[in-house]
Amino acid sequence: MTIQDGNPETDIPGKTTSASRTTLSHIMTGSDTNLLGTVHGGVIMKLVDDVAGAVAGRHSGGPAVTASMDEMAFLEPVRVGDLVHVKAQVNWTGRSSMEVGVRVLAERWNESTPAVQVGSAYLVFAAVDADGKPRRVPPVLPETEKDRRRYQEAQIRRTHRLARRRAIMELREKRAADGIED
């Protein structure tokens, strides 16, 4: 599959979801804790952003920057001594943007119990060139039924994100036209 815009010089072959899928694992230590003694949400968010950035860079073949983070959900607390696995893949691509889905799992470092999902997030990355300008990305090619579901759900999230942005901009324009300053 290629992006077709009538210009053969800019057609980009697609990449499968598995081509850039990545897992980052990290053992949580005392320096990762918050005042409650569990791992700070910001530490988990950094791991999420790190692995999502690696996936976006791999998929796009170069630099990609975080444009937004949607729906960061913390499902269970993470404790010192947990081995955290942060798994990510590209769910959807646009012209220069990519949605990356991330799952966060944790397991005790010294036990043989299965890992438990402790968080999830969706991030949007924009591929950029050396001047920081947007650049084209390959389309993502879903491979499995789960990948196709994720692709469709990503399109819904994108539609909602754009509609929310439009509604906020319209509200701000109306308030400005009414002479209301924020």
Side-chain angles (χ1 to χ4, degrees):
M1 175 191 277
T2 60
I3 297 173
Q4 300 295 323
D5 66 358
N7 183 351
E9 293 179 15
T10 60
D11 288 348
I12 302 173
K15 287 187 177 179
T16 61
T17 50
S18 63
S20 58
R21 192 175 289 141
T22 301
T23 299
L24 173 67
S25 297
H26 187 77
I27 294 177
M28 298 292 110
T29 66
S31 64
D32 299 319
T33 60
N34 60 26
L35 296 174
L36 299 175
T38 56
V39 173
H40 197 289
V43 170
I44 301 298
M45 290 174 74
K46 180 172 184 338
L47 294 173
V48 165
D49 192 44
D50 286 347
V51 74
V55 166
R58 282 181 168 189
H59 183 84
S60 68
V65 296
T66 311
S68 70
M69 178 183 271
D70 290 350
E71 300 179 39
M72 181 70 211
F74 297 100
L75 307 172
E76 297 283 336
V78 177
R79 300 171 292 159
V80 170
D82 282 352
L83 177 57
V84 172
H85 308 286
V86 190
K87 300 174 177 263
Q89 75 172 47
V90 173
N91 290 334
W92 175 91
T93 54
R95 183 174 178 85
S96 62
S97 63
M98 302 158 273
E99 183 196 89
V100 178
V102 181
R103 287 183 42 212
V104 183
L105 302 128
E107 61 182 308
R108 294 306 293 169
W109 70 274
N110 60 347
E111 296 176 9
S112 60
T113 55
V116 175
Q117 184 170 353
V118 295
S120 65
Y122 299 100
L123 296 87
V124 177
F125 279 79
V128 295
D129 62 18
D131 297 321
K133 304 289 185 213
R135 63 181 174 80
R136 301 275 307 262
V137 299
V140 67
L141 305 175
E143 299 172 278
T144 67
E145 194 54 44
K146 192 180 281 189
D147 292 339
R148 285 184 276 285
R149 175 188 54 80
R150 289 175 176 156
Y151 184 90
Q152 292 172 328
E153 290 172 358
Q155 288 178 302
I156 292 168
R157 281 186 293 275
R158 180 178 186 272
T159 299
H160 285 257
R161 204 170 24 254
L162 294 175
R164 184 176 60 238
R165 185 177 302 149
R166 263 192 312 277
I168 289 169
M169 293 308 294
E170 289 171 6
L171 178 63
R172 288 179 181 174
E173 288 170 7
K174 181 181 181 328
R175 289 175 59 85
D178 292 344
I180 302 170
E181 288 189 38
D182 287 333

